[in-house]
Amino acid sequence: GTGSSILSALQDLFRLSKSKVEKQLQIISVLQWVLTFLVMGIACTLILMYTLCTDFWAIAALYLAWLVFDWNTPRRGGRRSPWVRNWAIWRYFRDYFPIRLVKTHNLLTTRNYIFGYHPHGIMGLGAFCNFSTEATGVSQKFPGIRPYLATLAGNFRMPILRDYLMSGGICPVNRDSIDYILSKNGSGNAIIIVVGGAAESLNCTPGKNSVTLKNRKGFVKLALRHGADLVPVYSFGENEVYKQVIFEEGSWGRWVQKKFQKHIGFAPCIFHGRGFFSSNTWGLLPYSKPITTVVGEPITIPKIDNPSQKEVDFYHSMYVDSLMKLFDKYKSKFGLPETEVLEVT
């Protein structure tokens, strides 16, 4: 009757409104991370400097004193917060794309690990969501394993940003930090290194599956020095969420990017996603494309205090083969044709 029709219409309206609210929350959650990635460090530094010149200078002075006292914490495993890692905002972040974490093998809690994450993409969104939050259930999938996502050490020199990053279990990608976690923090640690780094980000574009790996062997040497098992990780869809202007080798644009990469540690990319209000306009929001991160089979690595170049090359070759096999095994399952080949440069 009329009553049931009205009730049905109200239920449909409620579901529609709930869906819209959830979509807006997803957009806001992603936007806050993008702004964190791009401007939070600089903005917090400027605000702190400005505060020193105001009547509230004592607050800034106290924070600076704390900063000096706490300066080495990022290099000693950081200060993760289970509360921050479990924020509801990360679940909205996950569902925006959506992002999934796929486990293929168990990891022993009696071992330490170095995960090689590929590809970098523009911002490493899959790496952040999967390993710096609990949105995709990393602690449930790998019980007893503590993930540490490694990023530029310069981020930990910026006020407030450093504390925000550490709360998610993010650490500097330098030898001091990695040595501490793998040698003085017990077992069950997994350091996630985005191996291709800034160089790889310069070539990421939708439809391209390419990793910068041939001459990246430092992570293998670290694994040998600590006897940490290597785990290949490939994120299908990481390159699909932004469109980038690719400068050809030898062009002025690529020259500028490489200079930044060499002297500062990151490469400025010219990229765009969608707008805040419409997917048909350009903006900073990534496109809502699925990202599926597959964690492969660990490669058992012996502990060698001073590995030779021959030993490093041997295990590096083993790692590259394992990564390519992982890609080939799962590519068709996650939307790529069987003919797709992973390019290793």
Side-chain angles (χ1 to χ4, degrees):
T2 304
S4 61
S5 298
I6 293 174
L7 181 60
S8 177
L10 288 173
Q11 289 175 337
D12 290 342
L13 182 61
F14 175 77
R15 280 194 291 268
L16 183 61
S17 299
K18 185 179 179 181
S19 176
K20 285 184 176 180
V21 169
E22 287 185 348
K23 188 61 180 177
Q24 290 304 311
L25 288 172
Q26 290 170 12
I27 289 173
I28 291 169
S29 69
V30 175
L31 181 62
Q32 69 84 25
W33 171 246
V34 171
L35 294 177
T36 296
F37 183 90
L38 294 176
V39 302
M40 183 177 179
I42 295 173
C44 289
T45 302
L46 293 174
I47 290 171
L48 188 67
M49 292 171 63
Y50 172 76
T51 306
L52 283 169
C53 302
T54 68
D55 293 339
F56 301 99
W57 64 269
I59 297 174
L62 283 172
Y63 179 81
L64 287 173
W66 160 253
L67 196 61
V68 172
F69 175 78
D70 195 55
W71 190 254
N72 290 322
T73 298
R75 291 184 291 179
R76 296 172 181 167
R79 187 171 47 248
R80 71 175 58 222
S81 166
W83 176 64
V84 173
R85 287 175 60 88
N86 282 282
W87 277 354
I89 194 172
W90 306 132
R91 295 193 289 275
Y92 289 112
F93 183 101
R94 172 199 66 197
D95 294 339
Y96 172 84
F97 297 92
I99 295 173
R100 290 177 56 208
L101 180 64
V102 176
K103 170 186 174 180
T104 63
H105 291 78
N106 292 325
L107 298 181
L108 298 175
T109 57
T110 54
R111 300 286 292 174
N112 283 325
Y113 302 90
I114 293 180
F115 288 18
Y117 184 91
H118 314 269
H120 183 285
I122 295 292
M123 297 184 186
L125 294 164
F128 168 75
C129 184
N130 285 306
F131 301 113
S132 293
T133 81
E134 293 296 331
T136 56
V138 63
S139 293
Q140 285 72 45
K141 287 182 170 69
F142 301 103
I145 301 298
R146 293 181 297 275
Y148 294 86
L149 177 61
T151 188
L152 288 175
N155 289 324
F156 297 89
R157 300 187 187 102
M158 297 186 179
I160 310 301
L161 175 63
R162 67 189 292 277
D163 302 287
Y164 190 37
L165 295 179
M166 283 194 292
S167 67
I170 301 177
C171 68
V173 62
N174 58 31
R175 182 169 171 174
D176 287 346
S177 177
I178 294 172
D179 282 349
Y180 183 91
I181 292 170
L182 295 180
S183 64
K184 298 179 181 178
N185 202 40
S187 60
N189 302 292
I191 297 179
I192 298 88
I193 299 177
V194 186
V195 178
E200 192 172 87
S201 69
L202 296 178
N203 295 313
C204 70
T205 187
K208 185 173 184 179
N209 288 283
S210 174
V211 297
T212 302
L213 183 58
K214 277 186 179 179
N215 297 316
R216 300 293 175 106
K217 300 180 181 181
F219 73 106
V220 178
K221 191 172 184 178
L222 280 169
L224 285 164
R225 287 181 62 245
H226 293 284
D229 293 349
L230 288 171
V231 182
V233 179
Y234 197 85
S235 232
F236 295 90
E238 185 72 63
N239 285 346
E240 307 298 317
V241 296
Y242 279 112
K243 295 178 181 178
Q244 181 183 189
V245 177
I246 305 293
F247 293 102
E248 297 294 329
E249 291 292 339
S251 66
W252 67 269
R254 182 53 64 102
W255 179 84
V256 170
Q257 288 176 322
K258 287 189 172 181
K259 286 295 182 183
F260 265 84
Q261 178 190 337
K262 180 180 179 180
H263 297 293
I264 301 178
F266 73 93
C269 302
I270 300 178
F271 65 93
H272 74 83
R274 52 155 291 182
F276 183 83
F277 297 104
S278 171
S279 59
N280 297 320
T281 58
W282 288 10
L284 290 176
L285 278 173
Y287 293 103
S288 52
K289 303 287 186 179
I291 298 175
T292 305
T293 302
V294 184
V295 180
E297 182 178 5
I299 303 167
T300 302
I301 302 294
K303 189 177 187 304
I304 306 174
D305 291 334
N306 294 297
S308 66
Q309 190 59 50
K310 185 177 180 180
E311 289 167 328
V312 172
D313 290 344
F314 173 78
Y315 285 102
H316 180 268
S317 177
M318 188 182 294
Y319 177 86
V320 173
D321 289 343
S322 182
L323 177 65
M324 294 184 74
K325 288 177 182 176
L326 180 71
F327 178 84
D328 288 336
K329 182 177 180 179
Y330 289 95
K331 60 186 179 183
S332 60
K333 186 175 181 180
F334 299 120
L336 298 177
E338 281 290 346
T339 55
E340 185 70 20
V341 176
L342 178 62
E343 180 184 349
V344 179
T345 59

